[in-house]
Structures are given as structure tokens and as C-alpha cells.
Amino acid sequence: MNGSRKTGLIILTIVAVVGISLAVLFGFQSHQRAQKKTRIVATTYAVVQIADKLDLPLAGVPTTENHIPARYKNVPRVGSPMNPNVEKIASLKPSVVYSVTTLEDQFGKAFSKRHIKPYFLDLTSVAKLKHVVTQMGHQYQRQAQAKRAIRQINAAEKRARQRAKDQPTKVKVLVLMGLPGASYMAGTNHSYIGNLVVLAGGKNVFMSKNQEYIQPNDEAIKKARPDVILRLEHALPKMVTAQFNQAFKTDPMWKTLPAVKNHRVYDLQEPDFDATANMRAAVALQKISRWLYPHTGGNNQ
């Protein structure tokens, strides 16, 4: 009997081990199949950056002059972020299409005609960027990558707070977003660049309850007397930079401002800066922190 019992226990143990092994194997294969079925199309460069940080495969990427990570070198291009090719995207048979909330009104209807429901990610602040990265990390089983990316941003925020901590007064900052055609908008505290200013310990001269950008007039800018001007060269940067330079050279209003008098006008260029938050946020925050408080002592980086 003892021998029979022993043999029975051995057989049960073997069956249990084999069963567990098969369950793990089938579970892994099921997970692999689910990963392969996920066909993500990113229509903005910010989403490409997030996908790259999370080690996610992409079925489509935007047509852009920005550097596309090597892993997406041969991935089909789907048009510019502001004017994606909906027909091309539909042909890729995506399981999900990602854009950003700032472009939702611009082309949401075009997708609905093709029965494609894009997801518009809110990247209007660093906190919302971290939320998106966390959520996508959880959704696609990339929690470790998400946590690593967020730690880098948190470290940059800590350094910026430390740099601004002992300043007697907050630097007044004007955020401008240039637009092709010799026009510009002022970024408020609700814009991404405005949010970086707040995190760096600055004071945005144009505040709003809900608007990201407003149309300021010369009198309002003169009255604000900004100490620093940040010029975002978002769309067609070479053209926008030339426009900014021409306006600051010919319009006497700009020459009256402390920021211009003291040569504290900075151009925000891609890939470190954009209209929406992206995975270069830590670098962008570090740069703005140094521009706002260049003479901070101590061991701050």
C-alpha cells in the first residue's frame, strides 16, 4: 500500500506540473497573439515617442521631419499630424488610432466617415502626460517601461523646484506660439509650454480659466512687461523663426520689453519642444528652468 500511495502521489505531482506548464505556455501564446493583433497607428510625433519608450510596435506613424526611431523605420507613413491620410490609415486595418486632444476638432469627423474611432490623448501638461504613459503602460503590459520613463520626468521636476526654491521673486514669462503668416498666439497656464513655466517656478503673464492660447494685443503685452519671452516654433519652424525675427526687429513695441532689452528671448525648437507634452519633457523643463533662473547657486544641474 505504501508503494501504491507513493506511486500515486508521484503521478499526481507529474500531472499537476504538466498542467501548470501547459497553462503557462498557452497563456503566454495567447498573450503573444493578443500583442500581434494589436495594430496601433500613431498620428502625431508625441505618440510615437510614447510608443518608443514603452517598446510598443506601431502599424503606422506620421509623416514628419522629426527623427523617427529606428524600430519604426519601415513602418508606413500616414500623413502629417494636422492632416492625416484617413484612407491610408483605414487600409492598415488598425485596432486603435491615437492622436491628441488639441487636434480633435480638426479631423475627428473625417475618421467617423470611415467608421474609425480615434483616441485623443490629453497631453496638455506634464501631469497629463504621466497619466497617459501610466495608462498605456498598464493597457499594453509595459508597466516597467512606463515607471522608468516617469521617474526621469519626476527627477527633472524635482531639480526645477530646487532651482527656483530660493528665488526672491518669480520671473514673469511670455509664451508665444508662432503661426505661419506672421501671426502668433500667447500660451496661457493651460498650454503645455505654460505648464513647463509653472513647473520651473515662473509666472505666466497671461492666465486663463480654460483656454490654452489667446490672442493678445500690444498694449496687454507692454503692460505685462515680461522678463523672459519663450517663442515656440511649432508649424513650419524656419518660416516662423524668420517671422519672429522680423517682427522683433521692426516693431518698436518689442524693444520696450525687459526680456528684449536684457536679451532673454529664447526660441523653442523641436524635438525638445512642441505644442503638446512629449517624452522630451524632462529635457524641455531643464532648459526652461535654466533660462528662467540662470544664476542659481548650489549644486543644481
Side-chain angles (χ1 to χ4, degrees):
M1 290 295 291
N2 288 338
S4 298
R5 286 196 189 116
K6 190 176 293 185
T7 302
L9 285 172
I10 292 172
I11 292 171
L12 285 174
T13 302
I14 292 172
V15 170
V17 169
V18 170
I20 292 171
S21 299
L22 288 173
V24 170
L25 176 62
F26 288 139
F28 176 76
Q29 290 177 338
S30 175
H31 173 72
Q32 290 292 91
R33 285 196 297 270
Q35 288 289 332
K36 288 179 181 178
K37 288 180 181 177
T38 302
R39 292 182 58 79
I40 303 170
V41 171
T43 65
T44 74
Y45 187 57
V47 178
V48 172
Q49 288 179 306
I50 293 172
D52 185 44
K53 283 288 185 180
L54 296 180
D55 296 330
L56 287 174
L58 291 176
V61 297
T63 305
T64 174
E65 293 183 2
N66 288 311
H67 172 71
I68 295 292
R71 73 174 76 202
Y72 308 128
K73 181 181 178 181
N74 298 318
V75 173
R77 288 351 188 218
V78 297
S80 71
M82 301 185 75
N83 187 29
N85 187 328
V86 181
E87 298 295 326
K88 177 68 174 180
I89 292 172
S91 73
L92 297 174
K93 302 186 184 310
S95 57
V96 62
V97 178
Y98 286 119
S99 183
V100 292
T101 53
T102 51
L103 297 175
E104 186 170 0
D105 293 337
Q106 197 158 322
F107 56 77
K109 292 180 180 178
F111 281 103
S112 63
K113 290 180 181 178
R114 290 305 307 263
H115 306 290
I116 298 173
K117 183 182 178 181
Y119 287 86
F120 294 96
L121 304 177
D122 189 345
L123 301 178
T124 53
S125 72
V126 173
K128 289 174 180 176
L129 167 68
K130 292 192 289 187
H131 177 73
V132 166
V133 171
T134 299
Q135 292 294 98
M136 289 183 67
H138 178 75
Q139 181 177 354
Y140 297 110
Q141 293 81 48
R142 300 294 198 276
Q143 289 93 334
Q145 293 92 327
K147 288 178 181 178
R148 184 162 57 246
I150 290 172
R151 278 198 300 269
Q152 294 174 349
I153 299 173
N154 288 342
E157 289 186 63
K158 183 178 179 180
R159 288 193 297 268
R161 284 194 300 270
Q162 186 66 29
R163 194 175 190 87
K165 184 177 70 172
D166 299 324
Q167 302 304 312
T169 58
K170 288 188 175 183
V171 172
K172 293 187 295 181
V173 184
L174 170 63
V175 176
L176 297 176
M177 182 172 75
L179 303 170
S183 61
Y184 58 86
M185 301 285 283
T188 72
N189 51 304
H190 286 284
S191 69
Y192 167 55
I193 302 301
N195 178 241
L196 289 177
V197 168
V198 172
L199 293 177
K203 179 181 179 182
N204 196 320
V205 298
F206 287 111
M207 306 291 285
S208 174
K209 290 183 178 180
N210 49 32
Q211 290 180 282
E212 290 183 58
Y213 295 92
I214 60 174
Q215 186 70 60
N217 56 53
D218 286 0
E219 286 304 313
I221 293 175
K222 286 173 67 175
K223 184 177 180 181
R225 294 183 58 77
D227 302 303
V228 171
I229 296 176
L230 303 177
R231 309 191 309 193
L232 177 62
E233 302 161 355
H234 177 48
L236 302 176
K238 291 183 180 179
M239 179 188 295
V240 171
T241 301
Q243 290 173 184
F244 270 139
N245 290 337
Q246 182 67 14
F248 274 59
K249 182 179 179 181
T250 59
D251 188 341
M253 184 274 293
W254 297 108
K255 298 176 182 178
T256 67
L257 303 178
V260 178
K261 290 180 179 178
N262 297 321
H263 307 289
R264 300 187 71 186
V265 178
Y266 305 98
D267 290 327
L268 312 185
Q269 299 172 331
E270 295 178 331
D272 292 339
F273 297 96
D274 207 334
T276 56
N278 55 72
M279 300 313 296
R280 302 284 293 178
V283 175
L285 179 55
Q286 182 183 50
K287 287 187 175 182
I288 289 181
S289 175
R290 288 176 172 175
W291 290 335
L292 266 54
Y293 302 109
H295 304 301
T296 299
N299 297 319
N300 293 314
Q301 298 297 312

mmCIF file of all heavy atoms in Angstrom, residues 156-167 199 289 296-297 299-300:
data_model
loop_
_atom_site.group_PDB
_atom_site.id
_atom_site.type_symbol
_atom_site.label_atom_id
_atom_site.label_comp_id
_atom_site.label_asym_id
_atom_site.label_seq_id
_atom_site.Cartn_x
_atom_site.Cartn_y
_atom_site.Cartn_z
ATOM 1 N N ALA A 156 13.426 65.477 -13.145
ATOM 2 C CA ALA A 156 13.576 66.810 -13.729
ATOM 3 C C ALA A 156 12.708 67.825 -12.988
ATOM 4 O O ALA A 156 13.127 68.969 -12.763
ATOM 5 C CB ALA A 156 13.198 66.775 -15.207
ATOM 6 N N GLU A 157 11.498 67.423 -12.603
ATOM 7 C CA GLU A 157 10.622 68.318 -11.841
ATOM 8 C C GLU A 157 11.251 68.671 -10.493
ATOM 9 O O GLU A 157 11.205 69.834 -10.057
ATOM 10 C CB GLU A 157 9.264 67.661 -11.615
ATOM 11 C CG GLU A 157 8.398 67.556 -12.863
ATOM 12 C CD GLU A 157 7.012 67.018 -12.548
ATOM 13 O OE1 GLU A 157 6.282 67.683 -11.796
ATOM 14 O OE2 GLU A 157 6.671 65.936 -13.053
ATOM 15 N N LYS A 158 11.841 67.695 -9.844
ATOM 16 C CA LYS A 158 12.477 67.932 -8.539
ATOM 17 C C LYS A 158 13.628 68.921 -8.679
ATOM 18 O O LYS A 158 13.777 69.846 -7.855
ATOM 19 C CB LYS A 158 12.970 66.606 -7.960
ATOM 20 C CG LYS A 158 13.589 66.740 -6.580
ATOM 21 C CD LYS A 158 14.023 65.376 -6.039
ATOM 22 C CE LYS A 158 14.662 65.515 -4.671
ATOM 23 N NZ LYS A 158 15.088 64.181 -4.132
ATOM 24 N N ARG A 159 14.454 68.762 -9.722
ATOM 25 C CA ARG A 159 15.572 69.676 -9.936
ATOM 26 C C ARG A 159 15.077 71.099 -10.213
ATOM 27 O O ARG A 159 15.660 72.086 -9.738
ATOM 28 C CB ARG A 159 16.443 69.185 -11.093
ATOM 29 C CG ARG A 159 17.269 67.952 -10.773
ATOM 30 C CD ARG A 159 18.345 67.698 -11.827
ATOM 31 N NE ARG A 159 17.771 67.411 -13.138
ATOM 32 C CZ ARG A 159 17.495 66.201 -13.580
ATOM 33 N NH1 ARG A 159 17.703 65.143 -12.805
ATOM 34 N NH2 ARG A 159 16.995 66.022 -14.789
ATOM 35 N N ALA A 160 13.995 71.214 -11.001
ATOM 36 C CA ALA A 160 13.460 72.536 -11.324
ATOM 37 C C ALA A 160 12.919 73.228 -10.074
ATOM 38 O O ALA A 160 13.130 74.439 -9.878
ATOM 39 C CB ALA A 160 12.357 72.410 -12.377
ATOM 40 N N ARG A 161 12.215 72.476 -9.221
ATOM 41 C CA ARG A 161 11.703 73.063 -7.969
ATOM 42 C C ARG A 161 12.844 73.550 -7.089
ATOM 43 O O ARG A 161 12.780 74.631 -6.488
ATOM 44 C CB ARG A 161 10.862 72.030 -7.205
ATOM 45 C CG ARG A 161 9.483 71.797 -7.770
ATOM 46 C CD ARG A 161 8.607 71.039 -6.780
ATOM 47 N NE ARG A 161 9.155 69.742 -6.427
ATOM 48 C CZ ARG A 161 8.899 68.611 -7.081
ATOM 49 N NH1 ARG A 161 8.100 68.633 -8.133
ATOM 50 N NH2 ARG A 161 9.432 67.467 -6.693
ATOM 51 N N GLN A 162 13.892 72.752 -7.012
ATOM 52 C CA GLN A 162 15.044 73.112 -6.192
ATOM 53 C C GLN A 162 15.710 74.373 -6.725
ATOM 54 O O GLN A 162 16.131 75.247 -5.959
ATOM 55 C CB GLN A 162 16.047 71.946 -6.180
ATOM 56 C CG GLN A 162 17.232 72.139 -5.251
ATOM 57 C CD GLN A 162 16.827 72.164 -3.790
ATOM 58 O OE1 GLN A 162 15.833 71.531 -3.421
ATOM 59 N NE2 GLN A 162 17.556 72.904 -2.965
ATOM 60 N N ARG A 163 15.793 74.485 -8.031
ATOM 61 C CA ARG A 163 16.448 75.637 -8.660
ATOM 62 C C ARG A 163 15.688 76.933 -8.382
ATOM 63 O O ARG A 163 16.277 77.996 -8.182
ATOM 64 C CB ARG A 163 16.543 75.400 -10.167
ATOM 65 C CG ARG A 163 17.480 76.345 -10.894
ATOM 66 C CD ARG A 163 17.629 75.972 -12.354
ATOM 67 N NE ARG A 163 18.693 76.734 -12.971
ATOM 68 C CZ ARG A 163 19.981 76.374 -12.964
ATOM 69 N NH1 ARG A 163 20.342 75.253 -12.383
ATOM 70 N NH2 ARG A 163 20.893 77.134 -13.530
ATOM 71 N N ALA A 164 14.351 76.850 -8.358
ATOM 72 C CA ALA A 164 13.529 78.057 -8.178
ATOM 73 C C ALA A 164 13.212 78.361 -6.719
ATOM 74 O O ALA A 164 12.719 79.448 -6.402
ATOM 75 C CB ALA A 164 12.221 77.887 -8.956
ATOM 76 N N LYS A 165 13.524 77.423 -5.840
ATOM 77 C CA LYS A 165 13.074 77.497 -4.446
ATOM 78 C C LYS A 165 13.497 78.771 -3.733
ATOM 79 O O LYS A 165 12.700 79.392 -3.024
ATOM 80 C CB LYS A 165 13.595 76.275 -3.680
ATOM 81 C CG LYS A 165 13.112 76.194 -2.243
ATOM 82 C CD LYS A 165 13.597 74.919 -1.571
ATOM 83 C CE LYS A 165 15.104 74.969 -1.348
ATOM 84 N NZ LYS A 165 15.568 73.811 -0.525
ATOM 85 N N ASP A 166 14.724 79.176 -3.898
ATOM 86 C CA ASP A 166 15.258 80.294 -3.113
ATOM 87 C C ASP A 166 15.196 81.638 -3.848
ATOM 88 O O ASP A 166 15.828 82.606 -3.410
ATOM 89 C CB ASP A 166 16.707 79.989 -2.709
ATOM 90 C CG ASP A 166 16.816 78.739 -1.848
ATOM 91 O OD1 ASP A 166 15.892 78.518 -1.035
ATOM 92 O OD2 ASP A 166 17.799 77.993 -1.996
ATOM 93 N N GLN A 167 14.454 81.698 -4.942
ATOM 94 C CA GLN A 167 14.369 82.953 -5.685
ATOM 95 C C GLN A 167 13.439 83.938 -4.968
ATOM 96 O O GLN A 167 12.331 83.558 -4.557
ATOM 97 C CB GLN A 167 13.855 82.701 -7.099
ATOM 98 C CG GLN A 167 14.698 81.731 -7.887
ATOM 99 C CD GLN A 167 16.149 82.173 -7.963
ATOM 100 O OE1 GLN A 167 16.445 83.322 -8.267
ATOM 101 N NE2 GLN A 167 17.061 81.254 -7.683
ATOM 102 N N LEU A 199 6.046 74.790 -13.688
ATOM 103 C CA LEU A 199 6.884 73.784 -13.027
ATOM 104 C C LEU A 199 8.297 74.303 -12.773
ATOM 105 O O LEU A 199 8.954 73.880 -11.810
ATOM 106 C CB LEU A 199 6.953 72.517 -13.883
ATOM 107 C CG LEU A 199 5.650 71.720 -14.027
ATOM 108 C CD1 LEU A 199 5.844 70.544 -14.966
ATOM 109 C CD2 LEU A 199 5.151 71.231 -12.667
ATOM 110 N N SER A 289 14.027 75.848 -17.033
ATOM 111 C CA SER A 289 14.465 76.140 -15.668
ATOM 112 C C SER A 289 15.749 76.972 -15.673
ATOM 113 O O SER A 289 15.881 77.955 -14.920
ATOM 114 C CB SER A 289 14.688 74.828 -14.915
ATOM 115 O OG SER A 289 15.230 75.060 -13.633
ATOM 116 N N THR A 296 21.295 80.639 -10.419
ATOM 117 C CA THR A 296 21.071 79.921 -9.173
ATOM 118 C C THR A 296 22.357 79.245 -8.721
ATOM 119 O O THR A 296 23.042 78.595 -9.511
ATOM 120 C CB THR A 296 19.979 78.841 -9.344
ATOM 121 O OG1 THR A 296 18.770 79.498 -9.724
ATOM 122 C CG2 THR A 296 19.745 78.078 -8.052
ATOM 123 N N GLY A 297 22.669 79.389 -7.447
ATOM 124 C CA GLY A 297 23.895 78.781 -6.908
ATOM 125 C C GLY A 297 23.668 77.348 -6.508
ATOM 126 O O GLY A 297 22.668 76.736 -6.813
ATOM 127 N N ASN A 299 24.458 73.180 -6.139
ATOM 128 C CA ASN A 299 24.880 72.073 -6.999
ATOM 129 C C ASN A 299 23.813 71.668 -7.999
ATOM 130 O O ASN A 299 23.822 70.563 -8.507
ATOM 131 C CB ASN A 299 25.256 70.850 -6.138
ATOM 132 C CG ASN A 299 26.433 71.142 -5.250
ATOM 133 O OD1 ASN A 299 27.388 71.799 -5.681
ATOM 134 N ND2 ASN A 299 26.389 70.666 -4.025
ATOM 135 N N ASN A 300 22.826 72.536 -8.271
ATOM 136 C CA ASN A 300 21.764 72.175 -9.208
ATOM 137 C C ASN A 300 22.329 71.984 -10.595
ATOM 138 O O ASN A 300 23.205 72.706 -11.038
ATOM 139 C CB ASN A 300 20.688 73.279 -9.242
ATOM 140 C CG ASN A 300 19.939 73.380 -7.936
ATOM 141 O OD1 ASN A 300 19.525 72.369 -7.373
ATOM 142 N ND2 ASN A 300 19.788 74.581 -7.421
#
